[in-house]
Amino acid sequence: MTSAFSIQPVNRFMRDSEPVKRPKEFACFSYDDNHEFHLGDSSMKWYYPPPLGVDLSEGYESFVKHDDSADEHLDSLLKTIASHEKETGKPIDANFVTWRGMMTKIMAAPFEDRDGFEMNATLYRDCIFIEEHHQHKEASRRAQDSQPWSGPIPQEVMQFWGYKFETLSTLPKPWGETSRDFIESRDKQTVDNKSQYCSVVRTGLGKSIICLGGEVDAIWDSKPQAPGAPINWVELKTSAEIRSERDMDNFERKLMKFWIQSFLLGVPKIIVGFRSRDGILVKTQEIETTSIPGTVQRRGKIRWDGNTCINFASAFLEWLRQTITDDGVWRIRRRPKSPHIEVFQVEEVGHGRIITEEFMNWRIKLSLSQMEVPEESAS
């Protein structure tokens, strides 16, 4: 049986925002240069202003690109959560565990219907774990790659521009510990997207508590010592330089995704690298994440609304908790242009590969240890 959550009419979500819990990082992990998992912040990078006038296509031939055709599920996120629970001796108190990318798709749904999405979900110990449906992602990518492209620059080169901008804008150590030679030769560095720093945060929308994992591009200064304190993260984005009203309209549409991604992880600053049509970096602009929805509203051409995104996601998650109430694997699907999100069961038992055996074994061990505490204290 299929249940459906209606996206339309969107105006029923247009009101003051539901309560939002500030995202607080409680753990992190890194992928190294071989994309191998490590607990901790070994792959964290520091922001340093990029040189202007650089050709963002330079170095494409030597691009070391991570092959993401394998389905990585939630494995790294679950390892990190389990490690945190081993330190605290108690399970995290989340209603949902997922990647930031999944929540971005959900929050953007009222204003973005072109591509659709598919996710897998499973209920385990009163928490819903959500991952991307990998086969759908691969099929969508193949369909996109098969579309004819008439632009003067190949699509894969244009996709490279964002990674090049990150390489131009980051250092592997604070600037005081980095040589001048390295800083001045960033335009010659090999671009490699295998290395990543991922922040794991606890946040909340409305009545739902969410544990999110997502990649963070760089830090502005240094991590605070106090656990859960705000961190001066920086999100790095590229966009075509704005030369017309149409360009501004396109940029405002992109700003919705920029805002959602940074909002969800508590990233306070976005730095946009504006490039020419042929990929020359012409300028950068710092944008405060919290200022974006108001800026869009003031311009008058309201393409999207931040409160509506929050309220929609809050209502959908609450509905999802009332819909996914049994074991098994569930599909969360929004077809392109569809006015609703469908949820239906695809496997009646088990958890598929969404949750690892290692994580479930850890949770059983944790439950047993918690049961033993009253007996010890009573003796």
Side-chain angles (χ1 to χ4, degrees):
M1 189 178 84
T2 299
S3 300
F5 184 85
S6 182
I7 300 169
Q8 302 293 342
V10 171
N11 60 13
R12 73 188 197 275
F13 304 108
M14 291 181 176
R15 58 182 185 276
D16 289 344
S17 166
E18 288 287 318
V20 174
K21 286 185 170 57
R22 178 178 68 80
K24 295 183 180 180
E25 181 179 278
F26 66 86
C28 64
F29 68 91
S30 295
Y31 291 118
D32 64 17
D33 291 339
N34 296 314
H35 202 72
E36 292 178 356
F37 171 88
H38 301 275
L39 288 167
D41 60 7
S42 55
S43 290
M44 189 169 72
K45 295 177 182 176
W46 280 258
Y47 174 72
Y48 193 85
L52 300 180
V54 174
D55 183 351
L56 295 175
S57 300
E58 186 180 346
Y60 171 73
E61 298 78 12
S62 57
F63 180 28
V64 181
K65 187 177 182 181
H66 170 56
D67 177 10
D68 64 352
S69 60
D71 192 347
E72 297 180 2
H73 298 282
L74 297 174
D75 294 10
S76 298
L77 183 55
L78 297 181
K79 285 180 187 176
T80 308
I81 291 171
S83 174
H84 173 75
E85 292 176 345
K86 287 169 186 174
E87 291 179 9
T88 62
K90 58 184 181 181
I92 59 169
D93 62 337
N95 305 118
F96 294 91
V97 169
T98 190
W99 295 116
R100 171 182 59 178
M102 302 304 96
M103 276 304 304
T104 299
K105 292 175 190 292
I106 291 168
M107 282 188 68
F111 303 102
E112 174 58 68
D113 66 356
R114 185 184 63 185
D115 298 325
F117 55 75
E118 285 193 17
M119 306 174 193
N120 296 324
T122 192
L123 178 67
Y124 180 67
R125 302 202 173 196
D126 298 323
C127 180
I128 296 173
F129 294 74
I130 302 173
E131 66 172 15
E132 185 158 29
H133 184 212
H134 189 72
Q135 287 83 356
H136 175 264
K137 175 183 130 180
E138 289 295 293
S140 298
R141 182 181 290 171
R142 286 193 297 272
Q144 186 176 2
D145 290 345
S146 67
Q147 295 292 319
W149 177 253
S150 58
I153 298 173
Q155 279 184 299
E156 55 269 26
V157 176
M158 296 179 73
Q159 291 164 357
F160 169 78
W161 289 348
Y163 297 116
K164 178 72 173 183
F165 180 63
E166 288 180 29
T167 301
L168 289 170
S169 306
T170 57
L171 305 174
K173 298 177 182 177
W175 72 269
E177 301 172 26
T178 306
S179 71
R180 182 173 177 175
D181 284 347
F182 183 93
I183 291 173
E184 293 181 351
S185 64
R186 282 173 296 161
D187 59 327
K188 306 300 181 189
Q189 295 291 322
T190 299
V191 178
D192 182 339
N193 72 338
K194 291 187 176 185
S195 172
Q196 297 174 10
Y197 171 93
C198 293
S199 180
V200 182
V201 307
R202 180 185 185 271
T203 185
L205 299 177
K207 298 176 181 177
S208 297
I209 303 298
I210 312 162
C211 169
L212 283 177
E215 182 184 2
V216 173
D217 293 328
I219 193 167
W220 185 267
D221 42 27
S222 60
K223 272 191 175 184
Q225 299 257 327
I231 305 173
N232 287 324
W233 296 125
V234 173
E235 184 81 11
L236 299 168
K237 297 292 185 182
T238 57
S239 190
E241 60 180 329
I242 299 169
R243 301 188 300 188
S244 67
E245 192 73 8
R246 184 181 176 187
D247 290 343
M248 178 57 80
D249 290 345
N250 290 335
F251 181 62
E252 283 196 354
R253 289 190 186 93
K254 293 179 77 170
L255 275 177
M256 180 178 70
K257 289 279 184 72
F258 293 179
W259 172 73
I260 292 173
Q261 290 172 340
S262 293
F263 166 84
L264 285 170
L265 285 189
V267 177
K269 192 188 298 286
I270 301 166
I271 296 177
V272 181
F274 289 96
R275 44 91 185 161
S276 66
R277 296 310 187 260
D278 54 355
I280 304 300
L281 182 64
V282 293
K283 76 167 189 173
T284 60
Q285 181 180 346
E286 296 177 16
I287 302 174
E288 299 298 323
T289 302
T290 55
S291 73
I292 293 174
T295 300
V296 172
Q297 293 277 338
R298 283 191 296 275
R299 185 164 176 258
K301 290 188 175 182
I302 301 173
R303 312 266 174 200
W304 60 274
D305 173 71
N307 286 347
T308 302
C309 294
I310 293 169
N311 294 336
F312 172 81
S314 171
F316 175 73
L317 293 179
E318 202 169 334
W319 174 83
L320 201 59
R321 289 165 65 188
Q322 297 166 358
T323 303
I324 299 179
T325 55
D326 294 322
D327 281 355
V329 176
W330 300 71
R331 183 72 34 80
I332 301 169
R333 180 175 66 193
R334 199 263 177 97
R335 299 179 190 272
K337 306 292 184 182
S338 173
H340 54 260
I341 300 175
E342 304 167 278
V343 175
F344 52 94
Q345 199 171 31
V346 292
E347 295 177 25
E348 292 187 359
V349 296
H351 304 287
R353 267 285 285 113
I354 302 171
I355 303 176
T356 61
E357 288 288 333
E358 179 186 21
F359 185 77
M360 287 189 283
N361 289 337
W362 156 248
R363 278 293 181 86
I364 292 167
K365 184 178 178 181
L366 180 59
S367 295
L368 291 173
S369 68
Q370 289 181 316
M371 289 171 63
E372 291 168 3
V373 171
E375 296 175 12
E376 292 174 0
S377 59
S379 60

